[in-house]
Amino acid sequence: MTPAEKEVADLCVELIRVDSSNYGDGSGPGERAAAEVVMARLAEVGIESTYVESEPGRGNVVTRVEGADPSLPALLVHGHLDVVPANAADWSVDPFAGEVRDGYIWGRGAVDMKDMDAMMLAVLRQMKREGRRPRRDIVFAWLADEEAGGVYGAKHLTANHAELFEGVTESISEVGGYSLEIDPSLRLYLIETAQKGLAWMKLTADGTAGHGSMLNDDNAVTEVARAVARIGEHDWPLTYTPTVRRFLTEVADAYGIPFDENDPQPVLDRIGPLVRFVGATLRHTTNPTQLDAGYKSNVIPGQATAVVDGRFLPGFEDEFFKTVDSLLGPKVRRDFVHHDIALETTFDGALVESMIAALKAEDPAARAIPYCMSGGTDNKTFFADLGVRGFGFVPLRLPADMDFASMFHGVDERVPVDALHFGVRVLDRFLLNY
């Protein structure tokens, strides 16, 4: 067992035991304590790091490893230190105890994403101790605030400290690289190459205020309600991006079944719970999430609002908004609460080849395939603005019966210790040879 394998579980447990819950309103503990753990473990082996606080307690850690060939572009490897909150009463274990049970590490952040934070630390510490240098510069970053939009993490760093990422052209981070076992002779490893765009939209209708007992044909509540119903009930058609089409083709081939573009459900049924990650990537989605109007039961308000969570496919943003606007109606206007781009890159190039080679060296049954996320990460949100081509690659060989998708933000979140051992072996190969 390598030094990185020997210590990665302990590092993961140590990070989980630091409560870095992000409530999204600034009331949480922040990431500073977790960042201090990272900096201390780096300093133990003589690695200097840069600490940046965007606001008190909102900590980010960045360090650069010099490669043997300075002519090669740099690679960014990043993880986030914040986690979503956990209600201890719902869990089988204390979500911040980092308990090891039945071959798993349990706790909030075990898969999202203190496992990768620990793997990054373990591989980097081993690299330093053994005096090995990668082929190219590698920037390691442990970031704040990903779970609430990255304002205090990736956004702050890319806007104010872009020099830390000088020369970086590609990156790897979360929600990719995990296995889907077809049978003992074939495991698909899903590498994220695309993410849907995000449009949180506030819908507003202005009407004529008045007494609730009187006739009123200019009711703002009615107008917003109609718009919400039209948008929420809209049947978005199947729309295949290159990534999604290839993903479904590869899965169908692995299972030996046909892929019918008019009916992809038989293919989706084969991937089980992982459909939560990819099921919404075959079409745009618009889900109403909030309604607000009025202040008294017998007063017709002069304004009513609603919020719709929209997600659009890469390459189809204009089409998406054209349709949404056609569903609003003439008396309802649309504004953004938050708007992010959609992103898609091709599944090719030296980086992809290196990921595939590292996976197959540790698992001869591995076949890497691209997929699209229905959500978003820091890879898309801010690093794309620096021209960085991002991939989701946290290599984990998972048990065939593990419901991995439910671990993200879920109760009893946990990660197999063996998967962490596999992950550091793959990461070590990949980072040294790419």
Side-chain angles (χ1 to χ4, degrees):
M1 186 176 285
T2 66
E5 289 177 83
K6 290 178 181 177
E7 69 177 12
V8 66
D10 289 340
L11 290 169
C12 186
V13 167
E14 184 177 18
L15 288 167
I16 288 172
R17 288 176 176 171
V18 178
D19 182 354
S20 52
S21 298
N22 188 344
Y23 293 92
D25 59 2
S27 64
E31 299 83 3
R32 179 171 183 167
E36 288 174 343
V37 169
V38 171
M39 290 187 292
R41 298 296 163 255
L42 293 176
E44 278 181 349
V45 295
I47 297 174
E48 296 182 359
S49 57
T50 299
Y51 178 67
V52 178
E53 274 198 355
S54 50
E55 292 287 340
R58 310 311 300 268
N60 301 271
V61 182
V62 182
T63 189
R64 180 183 286 258
V65 178
E66 290 188 2
D69 186 350
S71 70
L72 293 174
L75 173 71
L76 170 63
V77 183
H78 62 96
H80 61 83
L81 293 170
D82 62 322
V83 297
V84 296
N87 182 8
D90 296 333
W91 285 57
S92 303
V93 300
D94 180 341
F96 297 103
E99 184 174 330
V100 181
R101 181 201 295 181
D102 302 326
Y104 287 78
I105 299 172
W106 297 59
R108 176 58 84 221
V111 301
D112 189 15
M113 61 175 300
K114 289 180 175 178
D115 57 343
M116 180 60 164
D117 294 331
M119 289 158 61
M120 291 161 58
L121 270 176
V123 170
L124 183 50
R125 282 162 58 92
Q126 176 176 299
M127 197 181 298
K128 177 66 174 179
R129 283 169 169 152
E130 296 177 352
R132 296 180 297 159
R133 294 178 68 187
R135 293 182 62 236
R136 66 188 68 235
D137 281 13
I138 303 177
V139 178
F140 290 83
W142 292 264
L143 305 171
D145 199 38
E146 192 277 342
E147 296 292 2
V151 173
Y152 300 110
K155 182 176 182 178
H156 178 82
L157 291 181
T158 53
N160 299 285
H161 300 277
E163 72 280 357
L164 294 172
F165 310 105
E166 183 178 355
V168 170
T169 59
E170 295 171 311
S171 70
I172 62 168
S173 189
E174 62 179 325
V175 200
Y178 53 88
S179 66
L180 168 63
E181 185 163 318
I182 307 302
D183 59 50
S185 67
L186 177 60
R187 273 172 291 277
L188 303 181
Y189 285 83
L190 280 62
I191 297 176
E192 182 261 298
T193 61
Q195 300 179 17
K196 290 179 79 174
L198 183 150
W200 291 340
M201 299 171 286
K202 182 178 181 180
L203 312 185
T204 304
D206 294 310
T208 301
H211 199 286
S213 67
M214 299 180 181
L215 297 174
N216 189 320
D217 59 2
D218 187 29
N219 190 312
V221 176
T222 302
E223 292 298 332
V224 159
R226 287 172 178 157
V228 166
R230 286 192 295 267
I231 292 172
E233 294 172 353
H234 182 68
D235 186 15
W236 292 98
L238 290 170
T239 303
Y240 293 100
T241 63
T243 296
V244 172
R245 180 177 282 107
R246 179 166 176 181
F247 169 79
L248 292 171
T249 301
E250 293 269 14
V251 171
D253 177 72
Y255 281 105
I257 61 174
F259 164 45
D260 180 357
E261 290 196 5
N262 295 314
D263 182 18
Q265 197 58 48
V267 179
L268 293 173
D269 289 342
R270 292 300 184 103
I271 66 175
L274 288 181
V275 75
R276 297 175 197 164
F277 282 150
V278 302
T281 64
L282 280 69
R283 52 173 53 87
H284 305 303
T285 58
T286 42
N287 288 307
T289 55
Q290 293 178 275
L291 289 167
D292 186 34
Y295 57 91
K296 197 170 186 295
S297 58
N298 65 344
V299 177
I300 299 170
Q303 187 177 89
T305 64
V307 175
V308 174
D309 183 331
R311 310 286 174 133
F312 52 89
L313 296 167
F316 295 91
E317 181 172 356
D318 291 345
E319 169 196 280
F320 171 81
F321 286 116
K322 182 178 180 180
T323 300
V324 168
D325 289 344
S326 73
L327 297 169
L328 289 176
K331 295 184 178 181
V332 179
R333 64 181 183 274
R334 168 177 63 84
D335 298 293
F336 286 124
V337 176
H338 187 66
H339 178 209
D340 267 344
I341 62 170
L343 201 64
E344 184 169 34
T345 189
T346 53
F347 192 60
D348 56 18
L351 181 141
V352 171
E353 292 171 3
S354 292
M355 287 192 288
I356 293 171
L359 285 168
K360 290 191 71 67
E362 296 298 333
D363 181 5
R367 182 198 296 180
I369 64 172
Y371 88 102
C372 177
M373 268 189 71
S374 58
T377 71
D378 283 337
N379 256 344
K380 174 187 72 174
T381 312
F382 302 110
F383 292 116
D385 291 341
L386 298 182
V388 175
R389 184 184 183 216
F391 294 82
F393 185 61
V394 177
L396 297 171
R397 177 174 168 177
L398 302 171
D401 60 350
M402 183 178 180
D403 182 359
F404 188 60
S406 71
M407 296 296 103
F408 285 79
H409 299 188
V411 172
D412 287 342
E413 182 180 350
R414 58 197 180 273
V415 65
V417 174
D418 286 347
L420 295 184
H421 294 163
F422 174 83
V424 294
R425 293 196 305 269
V426 173
L427 271 183
D428 185 70
R429 285 181 181 275
F430 168 68
L431 294 177
L432 282 173
N433 296 323
Y434 171 51

